[in-house]
Amino acid sequence: MDERIERGTTAMLELRRSTLADGARPVGWKLGFGTPAAFEQLGTDRPLVGFLTDRTGLPDAATVAIGDWTKPTLEPEIAVHLARDVGGGASDEEVQEAIGGLSAAIELVDIHPPPSEPESILAGNIFHRHFVLGPVDHERTTAEGVTGRLVRDGEETARTDDPQAMTGKLAAVVRMAADDLGAAGETLRAGDVIITGSVVPALAVEPGQHVTADLGPLGSVSVTLSA
């Protein structure tokens, strides 16, 4: 493994352990910087892995105060819900069999300071601030037929008919996350949720806006942004 990612993942997991010791409940994991452009920028070849807890989860249609953020950014994502444990060294086929459903998701991040190298990005949990999850579709375990669309204040800002074009195949990116976590002594567990990265370019947002992420057959989730 890239030594920068190894050190950053160790720091991220230390932050996670501290957060859980403080009473937070684990929800799952998040993937970020998984696009070809991000690989080139950071000199990496795989998405970075952060963590999710109940402290940053929001209900659908929540209002979120972002007035004191530096660079608030919203990402529409596909959330993978695991029905089985996935350890390091699993094949794509084994990961696929472990997927128990998918849902629509939003992640809100504050990209500050500007991303420059993977170790510090990981140590800060990849700029994570909040996430929203839609209802789980347990019948759908692949992205086939899933679309992506962002609507801000009633106006469409982005659309895709191939939500894996930016993130990579769902089973493959979950496998890579399992490998990186496994190398650090952690395992993806049944019940974990993994949000897999933005399916369209991330959207810079500001107070006063209402944004909906529409993932086609997975449904939609939304947030209102306030000061």
Side-chain angles (χ1 to χ4, degrees):
M1 183 194 298
D2 184 320
E3 291 183 356
R4 301 169 303 163
I5 293 178
E6 185 174 5
R7 291 191 300 267
T9 298
T10 297
M12 178 273 293
L13 290 174
E14 289 175 353
L15 176 61
R16 179 177 183 267
R17 283 191 288 271
S18 174
T19 304
L20 298 182
D22 193 44
R25 290 190 302 104
V27 173
W29 307 91
K30 58 155 287 178
L31 305 184
F33 292 88
T35 65
F39 296 159
E40 182 175 355
Q41 177 187 2
L42 299 178
T44 53
D45 64 357
R46 60 209 303 109
L48 306 181
V49 185
F51 66 90
L52 305 175
T53 74
D54 64 331
R55 288 192 175 169
T56 60
L58 298 169
D60 184 20
T63 297
V64 187
I66 61 170
D68 61 349
W69 296 15
T70 300
K71 190 176 180 181
T73 305
L74 183 148
E75 300 178 347
E77 309 197 16
I78 296 173
V80 169
H81 298 252
L82 291 183
R84 304 180 193 172
D85 293 0
V86 178
S91 67
D92 286 1
E93 291 74 19
E94 289 169 328
V95 173
Q96 184 60 56
E97 291 174 358
I99 296 175
L102 305 178
S103 68
I106 281 173
E107 185 182 19
L108 287 163
V109 294
D110 186 13
I111 305 177
H112 179 75
S116 59
E117 48 80 26
E119 183 174 350
S120 63
I121 294 169
L122 282 161
N125 201 26
I126 322 179
F127 306 111
H128 176 73
R129 294 295 180 268
H130 292 292
F131 68 96
V132 179
L133 298 175
V136 186
D137 183 344
H138 293 288
E139 300 301 315
R140 190 175 292 272
T141 60
T142 75
E144 183 178 356
V146 177
T147 57
R149 193 168 72 101
L150 265 182
V151 179
R152 178 174 57 194
D153 295 335
E155 181 178 348
E156 182 177 285
T157 64
R159 171 190 289 269
T160 182
D161 293 324
D162 183 4
Q164 298 177 120
M166 287 188 61
T167 64
K169 299 291 186 182
L170 295 182
V173 297
V174 172
R175 172 193 36 90
M176 286 186 275
D179 286 345
D180 285 358
L181 291 172
E186 186 58 69
T187 300
L188 295 178
R189 304 289 183 184
D192 280 352
V193 180
I194 302 104
I195 56 175
T196 54
S198 191
V199 302
V200 297
L203 178 69
V205 293
E206 58 187 48
Q209 296 178 337
H210 178 81
V211 182
T212 297
D214 182 347
L215 276 295
L218 297 179
S220 63
V221 286
S222 67
V223 292
T224 296
L225 306 163
S226 73

